[in-house]
Amino acid sequence: MDQAKGPRKGRAIGKTNDVNADLIAVVVAVNDAGPCVLTIEEGGALPSGPFELAHRSLQSGLRAWVELQTGQPLGYIEQLYTFADRDRVGANQRVISISYLALTREEDTGASGRRSWASWYDYFPWEDHRSGRPPIVLEELRPRLIEWADGADDGATRFDRRRRAAVAFALDGRAWNEELALQRYELLYEATLVEEAKRGGVSAILASVPGRSMIADHRRILATAIARLRSKIKYRPVVFELMPPLFTLLQLQRTVEALSGRLINKPNFRRLIEQQELVEKTGATTAETGGRPAQLYRFHHTILDERPVAGTKLPLARA
């Protein structure tokens, strides 16, 4: 990553005994094509950089690196997870990566020579079920996972692998759980079916399944962010961080569907939104929907002060 002009006043923290501390950002927006993630290195990496003495805090350091590398200012941000597995970025290196999830609006996702936005379904094509189960699940993943499971040396391990594959990918009549994005990627990694698992001298006899790879474990970090966001939109109204100031209920529904990778029952969704009083009418309408003018709404910000957290749920109402 290009860090030559970075805010590198002072030495990096965590250098003792060859241990480094990095800050990694998963910046998410939603456009007409669906959920997208901010990337660098032609889509092969997430914005990141070392935590340094000059940084006032972890968040200020992250914001500095993201703006330097991409020109993208950050709004909503929350800590995601700390990754410290041995050899996660290469042999004889120990890097502790503190990752953050950031949300931005579509109008802030313009093109830039320093950044690119990529659909997160390019990295995880098995995750988008808005048009039904993707063919890749049954045509490619299922037979490859069964082959991997049956290749175990003992019956208990074979049974456990088959069970985990069935739960993760909704096989054998099981229901799809959109929140298991990380478990699905990690299972494919364990089965050596993703490109990242073949690095560092691991056998590359088996071909990787479709899906763009990323450097180090950045795709694992992205999967962690997807799982977190899919879960969080059900109990906190963070989806509004991705919406323009004024929106229609259909735009809100399409955004939730894009994030979850699932379709939503329209009447149930609208009833839930209205019952929770998460939005309020503006009195304005728009004809951009192609049909009769649609009501424009805004997020009811004061609801966060008026209710306990449990009352701000945004559950998915599936068809």
Side-chain angles (χ1 to χ4, degrees), residues 33-162:
C36 52
V37 60
L38 181 64
T39 65
I40 58 176
E41 300 186 11
E42 298 182 343
L46 299 169
S48 64
F51 181 52
E52 301 183 335
L53 288 174
H55 296 145
R56 179 176 51 84
S57 65
L58 293 171
Q59 283 200 18
S60 67
L62 182 83
R63 292 177 186 274
W65 279 118
V66 172
E67 191 153 0
L68 172 77
Q69 294 175 345
T70 70
Q72 177 70 42
L74 297 183
Y76 175 91
I77 184 174
E78 67 173 68
Q79 190 165 331
L80 181 61
Y81 196 77
T82 299
F83 298 84
D85 298 358
R86 187 184 301 275
D87 298 332
R88 46 181 293 270
V89 297
N92 303 318
Q93 295 185 60
R94 193 65 180 266
V95 177
I96 298 174
S97 292
I98 306 166
S99 62
Y100 284 82
L101 171 64
L103 306 179
T104 189
R105 294 187 172 92
E106 182 182 6
E107 64 258 27
D108 297 328
T109 63
S112 168
R114 292 182 292 167
R115 68 184 180 219
S116 61
W117 291 89
S119 169
W120 75 26
Y121 293 126
D122 288 345
Y123 300 94
F124 309 97
W126 51 84
E127 291 290 338
D128 189 1
H129 287 236
R130 286 174 292 176
S131 298
R133 190 199 299 260
I136 185 179
V137 175
L138 294 181
E139 295 176 6
E140 186 156 358
L141 298 183
R142 184 177 184 274
R144 300 285 295 277
L145 287 169
I146 290 177
E147 181 183 7
W148 166 71
D150 292 346
D153 293 333
D154 60 273
T157 302
R158 289 193 291 271
F159 175 82
D160 179 67
R161 287 181 175 183
R162 276 185 170 254

Side-chain angles (χ1 to χ4, degrees), residues 121 127 178 230 233 255-262 264 316:
Y121 293 126
E127 291 290 338
E178 65 277 355
R230 284 179 168 182
I233 60 175
T255 298
V256 175
E257 290 176 336
L259 294 171
S260 65
R262 301 290 297 270
I264 295 175
L316 297 177

Side-chain angles (χ1 to χ4, degrees), residues 201-215:
V202 177
S203 173
I205 296 176
L206 296 177
S208 301
V209 297
R212 295 181 66 179
S213 63
M214 305 185 89
I215 66 167

Side-chain angles (χ1 to χ4, degrees), residues 1 6 13 74 89 123 127 137 193-194 197 227 242 275:
M1 296 168 205
I13 287 180
L74 297 183
V89 297
Y123 300 94
E127 291 290 338
V137 175
L193 295 178
V194 293
L242 299 164
Q275 289 175 349

